[in-house]
Amino acid sequence: MKFNGFIFDLDGTLADSMWLWDGLLDQWLLERGFGPQPGLAEEIAHLTAQQSAQLAVERFHLDESPQQVMDEWTQLSMDAYAHKIQPKPGAVDFLKRLKAQGMPVALATSCIPETAYAFLDAHSLRPLIDAIVFTDQVARGKEYPDVYLEAAHRLGVEPQKCVVFEDIPQAVKGVGAAHMALVGVSDPHSDQTYLKQEADLFLSDFTHPSLPSFIGFSQE
């Protein structure tokens, strides 16, 4: 095996969930008298959940606290993560194959914890994941290495032996600063031109024929 640790983003990488957030945020803003905000979901994708809520409070001059905003987003998204959001093609089989070969796996996500767990439990993925790190548990968002380094630490794997799977262009900087390999995963809900150029491998999804050889899977 080429790598000793595998770190995955959730939204837009393992989970086909980015489509939800444009509509959800527009609905949430409409209830407060604001019009649609194209690109807002992409803008906050690399931030921690707390930072995203703080941005919303400040930009729209809300009376609510960031925690209240996060609680509202959680309530709006829970049902979808539990019943509507599906894994990206091939993602579950890929995680199962890693598990079968004894490879440590971490989740490094900006997702709200309750919604992340709802998705993982809906698809029986928790047993396939050894560590979960939320960006709110570290100092900075995904344009910095913090969450990836913490994931490697929890796996007990040297950063240089880890590979990260991400769908956002800001991850190029964060993963690079962590000295990890980067696999970009295609998602139609963000501009991935830079990610596609800079990633060590760019996948349409987890059924991509180049993935096994890049990872260095042993023969079964």
Side-chain angles (χ1 to χ4, degrees):
M1 190 74 74
K2 186 176 178 180
F3 302 101
N4 295 336
F6 294 78
I7 300 171
F8 295 85
D9 170 55
L10 183 65
D11 287 310
T13 300
L14 287 178
D16 183 13
S17 55
M18 293 305 294
W19 60 268
L20 171 74
W21 284 96
D22 283 329
L24 185 149
L25 290 171
D26 284 348
Q27 174 190 341
W28 179 77
L29 287 167
L30 182 63
E31 292 173 354
R32 285 152 184 77
F34 297 99
Q37 301 289 318
L40 179 59
E42 182 179 352
E43 180 182 351
I44 65 176
H46 68 288
L47 301 176
T48 71
Q50 180 75 23
Q51 289 170 339
S52 298
Q54 183 68 44
L55 182 149
V57 168
E58 293 175 357
R59 179 170 300 180
F60 301 106
H61 307 289
L62 304 177
D63 293 331
E64 297 142 294
S65 69
Q67 184 59 54
Q68 287 173 315
V69 169
M70 286 195 296
D71 290 343
E72 291 161 8
W73 288 352
T74 300
Q75 291 303 313
L76 286 172
S77 60
M78 278 291 289
D79 181 71
Y81 273 78
H83 302 292
K84 298 177 182 178
I85 300 299
Q86 296 298 313
K88 287 286 186 78
V92 175
D93 287 342
F94 184 62
L95 290 174
K96 288 180 177 178
R97 190 170 181 184
L98 290 174
K99 187 70 171 180
Q101 298 202 14
M103 292 294 103
V105 171
L107 197 65
T109 177
S110 300
C111 192
I112 298 169
E114 291 87 346
T115 56
Y117 290 128
F119 171 81
L120 295 175
D121 290 341
H123 299 283
S124 303
L125 297 182
R126 278 218 230 187
L128 305 179
I129 297 172
D130 302 292
I132 301 176
V133 185
F134 296 97
T135 50
D136 278 331
Q137 296 174 324
V138 296
R140 300 174 292 184
K142 287 190 169 182
E143 70 273 37
Y144 298 98
D146 307 39
V147 71
Y148 307 114
L149 291 173
E150 178 62 22
H153 173 72
R154 293 191 191 185
L155 292 179
V157 178
E158 295 180 3
Q160 296 87 344
K161 293 292 185 178
C162 291
V163 57
V164 177
F165 294 78
E166 273 280 9
D167 70 300
I168 58 172
Q170 293 88 348
V172 172
K173 184 178 178 181
V175 173
H179 303 291
M180 300 177 181
L182 175 62
V183 175
V185 180
S186 178
D187 191 271
H189 298 276
S190 65
D191 182 356
Q192 298 182 310
T193 304
Y194 180 62
L195 177 65
K196 191 172 184 179
Q197 291 172 345
E198 298 296 324
D200 298 290
L201 177 69
F202 190 82
L203 309 176
S204 54
D205 57 46
F206 290 90
T207 67
H208 195 285
S210 298
L211 181 57
S213 59
F214 177 80
I215 294 303
F217 269 134
S218 61
Q219 296 296 318
E220 294 181 331

